[in-house]
Amino acid sequence: MAPTDSEASNPVLIEGHRPVTPPDGVATWDVDPFDEAILSYPRDFYRELRAQGPFAWIPRYACLMCGRHQETEEVFSDHTRFVSSRGVGLQDFKLEKPWRPPSMLLEADPPEHTRARKVMTRALSPRVVKGLREYFRTEADKLIDRLIDVESFDVVTELAEVFPTTVVPAAIGLKENNPEFLVAYGAMVFDTVGPDNEIRRRAMAKAPDVVPWITQACTREQLLDDYIGADVHDAVTTGELNENEAAMLVRSLFSAGLDTTIAAISSAVWCLGTHPDAFAALRQDQGLAKACFEEVLRFTSPVHTFCRTANVDTEVAGIRIEADTKVICSLAAANLDEEKWPDASSFKIDRKPIGHLAFGSGIHRCVGQTIARAEVEAILTALATRVGAIEITGPATWRPSNAINGLATLPVRLTRQ
Ligand code: OVM
């Protein structure tokens, strides 16, 4: 049975079910964190958010928001007080119907989450990723070779989108790939974290075409034997999952595994293009690829925002948080917190920013991070070994998304070394 990702529904706010006044000691901040202008250039907003205190009250959405490292990590990692099963966007699944059947990983709590996570951890084990590394390296080398000495090309469409939408479906074993639909689906997943704004509606406009295709792509019949997708479906044979649940977990691979790495790869090229000395250091020592990616994650936060919902009356940093309160966690603001990272607004390739929140923290911490690392390190290594200079040839523009921080366009020229 396929997941019944049925018709998309817009959020319907049910009044009176959520605290509508700020807790004592929290400043009210009349701002829209999902405003396109803020999402396209968020750094000043992040600084103001941190300056508000541990939390700010956002009256427009009747939510708390945090962006200091300490409190963001506390909220994000405590799954007993701050649950995910009520959705990780502004919508409270207890009150409003989600646009798709909730993810068994992202939008779940223990014990359901634990059961799904166990299957996914096995399907994405170090042994599996080790087996993909050489394939990723070969594909990255081929792609970079093709792009070297091209007058100018767009990193987003010609490199960052091409690579994950080629190698990830291949690793999953998807029989009939459709990169355009996979990218469109990623936009739906992440833009529905936000309110019913233009950004969300634009992404959801493609749902009638894309959702049925994704639903089909997650079924056992569409997946080749002996690849990651079939490995997930093997959990049906062992009795750990039913068929519908296995398809839902494959859906998580498509949901979480593309938009995120597309943003990460384009941001990595942007970081190196704008910091030639960092690129020179990477060329000198390819061993820096790992550290470089960690700093790209901290500096750019491919997922900038997810929410949690307080399930009990509690307290964080001396602030009372009432049960049913949504907390918007700005992972990107936390990753730029000067209190945590000296000279936080500088990109330092050898910083080794242990404790960044780009992969989240706690029990939901990115289960695919080893595969993400293998992908990005393959691209960084290909650049370091083949390219002499990354020259940005036109304006870099950022794509306003309700949850992804990624470029819209990045024109560059790569010169052969
Ligand atoms: C999922 C999912 C979707 C988006 C992101 C994510 C970052 C997971 O459907 O399970 O993790």
Side-chain angles (χ1 to χ4, degrees), residues 100 103 105-106 189-190 251-252 255-256 260 303 306:
R100 60 172 194 167
S103 162
L105 288 165
L106 180 74
V189 167
F190 288 99
R251 194 192 69 176
S252 284
S255 302
T260 48
V303 177
F306 270 146

Side-chain angles (χ1 to χ4, degrees), residues 249-264:
L249 276 193
V250 174
R251 194 192 69 176
S252 284
L253 293 167
F254 293 128
S255 302
L258 294 159
D259 243 23
T260 48
T261 43
I262 290 169

Side-chain angles (χ1 to χ4, degrees), residues 93-104:
F93 291 0
K94 205 167 153 182
L95 308 175
E96 304 164 39
K97 185 174 174 278
W99 72 282
R100 60 172 194 167
S103 162
M104 296 173 67

Side-chain angles (χ1 to χ4, degrees), residues 106-252:
L106 180 74
E107 297 152 330
D109 301 322
E112 294 79 14
H113 170 268
T114 318
R115 189 167 65 93
R117 174 99 182 185
K118 188 177 167 204
V119 173
M120 196 58 113
T121 302
R122 190 172 10 148
L124 299 175
S125 72
R127 181 182 52 82
V128 171
V129 178
K130 190 160 181 269
L132 290 167
R133 222 166 237 129
E134 203 178 290
Y135 165 62
F136 288 176
R137 287 288 305 275
T138 309
E139 291 304 307
D141 287 349
K142 277 200 281 190
L143 185 51
I144 297 299
D145 272 335
R146 243 189 286 138
L147 294 168
I148 282 179
D149 290 334
V150 171
E151 258 300 292
S152 177
F153 71 92
D154 180 14
V155 168
V156 177
T157 53
E158 307 295 317
L159 169 61
E161 288 184 353
V162 173
F163 189 70
T165 63
T166 307
V167 302
V168 172
I172 292 171
L174 182 61
K175 287 180 185 170
E176 284 171 59
N177 195 6
N178 187 332
E180 190 195 326
F181 277 20
L182 288 169
V183 170
Y185 189 69
M188 286 175 223
V189 167
F190 288 99
D191 286 334
T192 50
V193 164
D196 185 20
N197 57 9
E198 253 319 289
I199 298 170
R200 179 185 173 129
R201 286 193 292 268
R202 232 182 284 138
M204 288 307 293
K206 296 180 186 158
D209 289 332
V210 173
V211 171
W213 181 84
I214 288 280
T215 303
Q216 268 304 306
C218 295
T219 60
R220 182 64 185 85
E221 301 72 61
Q222 297 300 316
L223 299 163
L224 296 166
D225 294 349
D226 302 323
Y227 289 86
I228 292 170
D231 291 348
V232 170
H233 276 276
D234 282 347
V236 178
T237 321
T238 60
E240 292 167 280
L241 300 177
N242 67 36
E243 249 178 74
N244 179 54
E245 291 170 332
M248 290 287 281
L249 276 193
V250 174
R251 194 192 69 176
S252 284

